[in-house]
Amino acid sequence: MPARILDGKALAAQLRASVKPGVERLAARSIRPGLAVVLAGEDPASQTYVRNKIKACADTGVHSDLHQLPGDVAEAALLDRVRMLNQDPRVHGILVQMPLPKQIRAATVLEAISPAKDVDGFHPANLGALVAGLAGVVPCTPAGIMRMLAAEGVVLEGRSAVVLGRSTIVGKPMALLLLQRDATVTVCHSRTARLADVTRQADVLVAAVGRARFVTAAMVKPGACVIDVGVNRLEDGRLAGDVDFAAVREVAGLLTPVPGGVGPMTVAMLIHNAVNAALRSCGERGLD
Ligand code: NAP
């Protein structure tokens, strides 16, 4: 039987609707949650991501400001902009779109964002909180995936989870979140030996590699839950995930599509984190 396809768009719409009561609580205090989006340069993919995020803000009552900077912006100027946004009480969340131009050290910029306004959850304080199992802002993509798994009733306790990719924005936080839910977690990367042998053990397989159709049917355990994080542009202009969708759907039990899977959940989590940041800034209880 082909895999059930997980509708990320529908789940994301539910998640976006669930922030409404938070927006209303803020409105009762005459506060509008505000997100500042900083974009350096004119990378077309980044421009599309930023447009989607700004549209999602408008749809959910979050005010957003785009801070477009030239591609040759100096690191000091970008840091000044971040520090100015840290001080601005109308700005509750700051997002610096990655990747940054080569002359800028991403880690330095991320560290400059106030942890309370770090809606991406990439500040070392928030990543440290995740490692320690403390409250903090959780990166949007893995947080969105955990919500997808919960919504589908995917059992994690005692199951084998394999994360393909070890980036700080997806792979590593994903592994920590799965571990928190008592899965037995393996993280794979470009140096992993006998990769298919490892991935075939996975009850839950998360692919965040950045290579189109990298995960083949032979790499998937029959009935597994396969989460495709990848967004890859094919030569003909279409998008493809990291998973060979047509082949893997014949083997997996549950599968996310690209587009329409993890992507919309990531954007919805960003809105969730921005509203949460605004609620916490005025001492209100955060969202669930
Ligand atoms: P990244 O920083 O480039 O990391 C890719 C990871 O894949 C690295 O850990 C790399 O290993 C590993 N890898 C590369 N080739 C491999 C191979 N042949 N075998 C095994 N592992 C391999 O990418 P990322 O930022 O995590 O993003 C991954 C993908 O997800 C991209 O397509 C990105 O566009 C997409 N993405 C989507 C969303 C969304 O919302 N849908 C959000 C974020 C990212 P090494 O560490 O050894 O180099």
Side-chain angles (χ1 to χ4, degrees):
M1 201 169 53
R4 199 152 45 83
I5 305 305
L6 216 158
D7 187 347
K9 266 193 192 165
L11 270 182
Q14 280 177 26
L15 179 55
R16 292 220 300 255
S18 76
V19 307
K20 247 192 185 157
V23 175
E24 283 163 6
R25 269 193 281 142
L26 288 162
R29 288 171 167 258
S30 305
I31 296 171
R32 188 162 181 213
L35 177 70
V37 180
V38 181
L39 176 60
E42 281 160 16
D43 173 58
S46 293
Q47 285 176 328
T48 305
Y49 293 141
V50 162
R51 247 197 323 275
N52 288 343
K53 290 168 185 176
I54 286 176
K55 183 178 179 310
C57 284
D59 292 347
T60 41
V62 174
H63 175 76
S64 63
D65 270 326
L66 174 60
H67 295 254
Q68 173 75 63
L69 302 173
D72 61 356
V73 63
E75 185 179 282
L78 181 46
L79 289 172
D80 280 349
R81 184 67 64 108
V82 168
R83 289 187 193 117
M84 182 199 89
L85 295 169
N86 282 341
Q87 300 302 321
D88 187 337
R90 293 163 305 178
V91 173
H92 305 100
I94 303 169
L95 178 161
V96 178
Q97 184 65 41
M98 298 288 151
L100 286 167
K102 290 206 167 25
Q103 72 277 13
I104 294 171
R105 292 167 297 174
T108 306
V109 173
L110 293 175
E111 209 173 346
I113 298 173
S114 157
K117 295 190 177 189
D118 168 37
V119 283
D120 264 334
F122 297 157
H123 189 283
N126 284 316
L127 291 171
L130 182 59
V131 174
L134 301 172
V137 185
V138 180
C140 299
T141 300
I145 292 170
M146 293 306 285
R147 283 179 181 255
M148 292 173 111
L149 295 174
E152 291 296 321
V154 175
V155 176
L156 294 171
E157 188 184 337
R159 311 284 292 284
S160 161
V162 173
V163 181
L164 262 178
R166 57 175 163 179
S167 71
T168 305
I169 64 172
V170 188
K172 283 183 200 162
M174 187 74 246
L176 288 165
L177 290 170
L178 291 163
L179 198 56
Q180 272 177 14
R181 294 296 167 93
D182 298 321
T184 301
V185 182
T186 307
V187 182
C188 298
H189 46 78
S190 65
R191 312 291 167 88
T192 299
R194 293 180 301 280
L195 186 65
D197 290 347
V198 180
T199 58
R200 262 199 309 271
Q201 303 300 315
D203 299 306
V204 176
L205 177 62
V206 180
V209 182
R211 290 178 176 224
R213 298 170 185 158
F214 180 82
V215 176
T216 60
M219 294 169 73
V220 174
K221 179 179 180 175
C225 167
V226 180
I227 304 291
D228 190 351
V229 183
V231 180
N232 307 289
R233 185 70 64 185
L234 299 175
E235 275 180 9
D236 64 9
R238 286 181 303 149
L239 288 183
D242 286 348
V243 174
D244 183 345
F245 185 86
V248 169
R249 81 178 294 182
E250 299 303 321
V251 181
L254 191 62
L255 176 60
T256 64
V258 177
V262 172
M265 284 300 283
T266 297
V267 177
M269 277 313 307
L270 171 70
I271 302 297
H272 179 274
N273 286 351
V275 174
N276 249 346
L279 287 166
R280 294 200 173 119
S281 75
C282 59
E284 282 266 351
R285 188 173 41 82
L287 300 164
D288 293 331

